Amino acid sequence: MTSPQRAHIAMFSIAAHGHVNPSLEVIRELVARGHRVSYAIPASFAEKVAATGAEPVIYTSTIPTDDDPDAWGTELIDNLEPFLADGMQSLPHLAEAFEDDRPDLVISDITSYPAPILAHRWGVPYLQLSPNMVAWDGYEEEVGAAQTAQLEESERGRAYRTRFQAWLDENGMDLPLDRFVVRPERSIVLIPKALQLFADRVDESAFTFVGACQGERADQGDWERPAGAEKVLLVSLGSANTKQPGFYRACVEAFGDLPGWHVVLQIGKFVDPSELGEIPGNIEVHPWVPQLAILKKADAFITHAGAGGSQEGLATGTPMLAIPLAVDQFGNADTLVQLGVARRLPMEDVTAEALREAVTALVADLEVARRGEEIKQDMAKEGGTHQAADIIESALPARTA
């Protein structure tokens, strides 16, 4: 499907790999179809955005980045306040940036609170792009109510809710804050349906699952399986929660010199390899790796069960050991276990022995392999990038000649 008219589409996101990466192939496809895409993003991601053909619109963000994961704190309110504060401070600057270049349609990641407000102000359609699980029928009672109750227990939580609602009211949004993020009128869900909790209870008139939009990622480089490696294991905790030297040492102890095994250990930017002690010859250690390229050739994957890593593991049919660390990762880990393609190990229970036992049992389990291949085939049939772009084009306002 190709739109007969070139449109101006505005995309909004934050400086976080897990929120930018899922959108990139969709943006690349929209540009390839002839649309002009302006992508509002902090400067640290401008180059990555520009590589899709979109025009970066740079704004200054106050949200903690992957470089400072400790800034997120430990309580629910610590994880919520930064998005509201950033939305409130960036809204006028983003409005000014587009003042003389209004888009025909607005799309955004779930974390960009100014985007739906600006779409409402400009009178143009808005579509949310969700890189993780979405709300299902009953979500408010089963999850939302407990979170609201927790916030209402503290003065800080109550003030946050009051401030958020007042901001929405001031901008004419005419909806309760509890629906603002989790109940968009239209959302494109950039994960496979298999990864969605209670998928049969999701309103598909509002949420459309298109599956992973991964692309070839040739720019990230390739990886070759070493000759003689009988089994390959990838270990990665993503990009944010990687300050885990004890965990990495346990991995080295668990798999170092294990006959027939080759291990790719991604340790992120916060841990120095010297902290891991002597590294056996069958383990390669890197701050970053081309994850998808490795998973296509791997036999097992130790993951924090982030949305991106989980769907890459599913897309490649790789058995997973899930060690969730934060937010949606716990739900993702449960879902992977329920799908029959993973086992779960709490970080507090991690030992070299527990890791080795779990991973070797995973790769020996024929049912795990069968389920993994089945889900891999199902995912290959999902609409992906092209379906996402089709939905966005169909939301463009009709133009008269």
Side-chain angles (χ1 to χ4, degrees), residues 331-345:
N332 291 339
D334 288 342
T335 301
L336 293 172
V337 171
Q338 291 167 11
L339 288 171
V341 298
R343 297 190 179 189
R344 177 175 173 171
L345 181 65

Side-chain angles (χ1 to χ4, degrees), residues 87-111:
M88 294 177 72
Q89 70 86 23
S90 63
L91 177 61
H93 301 290
L94 290 168
E96 182 180 3
F98 285 92
E99 181 60 34
D100 298 321
D101 191 22
R102 298 281 179 87
D104 300 299
L105 178 144
V106 171
I107 55 179
S108 84
D109 179 75
I110 59 174
T111 56

Side-chain angles (χ1 to χ4, degrees), residues 272-295:
D272 191 285
S274 63
E275 297 180 60
L276 308 185
E278 184 176 352
I279 307 297
N282 69 321
I283 298 181
E284 53 180 284
V285 179
H286 306 280
W288 179 90
V289 298
Q291 182 164 286
L292 186 59
I294 296 172
L295 285 175

